[in-house]
């Protein structure tokens, strides 16, 4: 059963949709994308609100959201984001942040196929991509790249015990 058309003439019950353009999909950059990156791209386009309330450049879709939507591991989803950036389909405009209250914000992205607010056309960087000439990829920095916070912490997988366990063993020996 179809519903009543809204003010734009579309049926409100049609659901959320996006379009993939054949010329975009026939570019060498698209064909060089991994299948997971190709599957992620429509999910990113779903986050675009359209030309009337253009949010391109501030599209937020986290790696965890992508992993859940695609049914893949988080690392696989992260590689798909990197692949889309390297081929020119996606540009990170703002890195992810963890606020003072612990409210995290995922990174903001621009889909280069779509014009950002105030521009006539999208940059379409993927049209200028060629084999071996990837665009820079902005990866999230590790908060603690060395794995240490000025002190050596016990690591159970390396058979390092905690101080309490060592004391217990010493007392048992004496």
């Amino acid at each position: 059963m179809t519903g009543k058309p809204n003010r734009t003439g579309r049926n409100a019950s049609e659901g959320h949709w996006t379009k993939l353009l054949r010329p975009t999909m026939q570019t060498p950059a698209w064909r060089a994308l991994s299948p997971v990156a190709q599957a992620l791209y429509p999910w990113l386009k779903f986050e675009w609100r359209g030309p009337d309330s253009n949010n391109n450049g501030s599209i937020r879709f986290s790696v965890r959201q992508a992993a859940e939507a695609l049914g893949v591991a988080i690392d696989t989803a992260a590689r798909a984001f990197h692949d889309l950036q390297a081929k020119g389909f996606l540009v990170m405009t703002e890195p992810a942040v963890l606020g003072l209250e612990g409210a995290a914000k995922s990174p903001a992205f621009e889909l280069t196929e779509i014009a950002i607010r105030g521009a006539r056309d999208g940059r379409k960087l993927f049209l200028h991509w060629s084999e071996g000439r990837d665009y820079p990829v902005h990866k999230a920095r590790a908060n603690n790249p060395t794995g240490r916070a000025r002190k050596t912490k016990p690591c159970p997988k390396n058979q390092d015990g905690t101080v309490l366990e060592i004391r217990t063993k010493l007392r048992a020996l004496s």
Side-chain angles (χ1 to χ4, degrees):
M1 181 169 179
T2 59
K4 183 178 173 184
N6 63 15
R7 64 179 175 79
T8 62
R10 293 189 181 132
N11 185 342
S13 63
E14 287 178 3
H16 195 162
W17 58 277
T18 190
K19 63 182 176 180
L20 293 176
L21 301 173
R22 186 178 297 243
T24 299
M25 295 172 63
Q26 290 176 330
T27 62
W30 181 267
R31 293 178 185 204
L33 286 172
S34 69
V36 177
Q38 289 177 351
L40 173 60
Y41 192 68
W43 284 99
L44 288 163
K45 284 187 80 173
F46 277 140
E47 298 301 313
W48 181 58
R49 294 191 194 117
D52 294 335
S53 58
N54 192 347
N55 65 329
N56 195 20
S58 59
I59 293 173
R60 296 195 183 274
F61 199 62
S62 73
V63 172
R64 289 181 184 177
Q65 288 173 311
E68 185 176 328
L70 298 171
V72 297
I74 291 174
D75 289 343
T76 305
R79 280 192 299 274
F81 274 101
H82 298 161
D83 202 14
L84 286 168
Q85 288 181 63
K87 305 300 187 282
F89 289 94
L90 198 62
V91 173
M92 185 186 296
T93 57
E94 187 181 324
V97 293
L98 180 61
L100 296 174
E101 301 298 318
K105 283 172 66 175
S106 59
F109 294 103
E110 170 197 348
L111 296 168
T112 65
E113 180 182 14
I114 302 169
I116 59 172
R117 186 174 299 196
R120 246 182 88 141
D121 290 320
R123 298 190 292 164
K124 298 183 178 157
L125 299 175
F126 55 88
L127 294 176
H128 306 291
W129 177 87
S130 61
E131 189 72 38
R133 299 201 51 195
D134 285 353
Y135 289 96
V137 174
H138 299 283
K139 298 179 182 179
R141 285 187 35 225
N143 290 339
N144 193 359
T146 62
R148 294 186 176 172
R150 294 193 180 128
K151 301 185 241 180
T152 304
K153 296 179 184 175
C155 183
K157 68 181 177 186
N158 292 337
Q159 274 79 46
D160 292 340
T162 61
V163 174
L164 182 60
E165 289 175 5
I166 294 171
R167 286 169 123 186
T168 308
K169 287 180 185 176
L170 289 176
R171 285 187 185 160
L173 292 174
S174 51

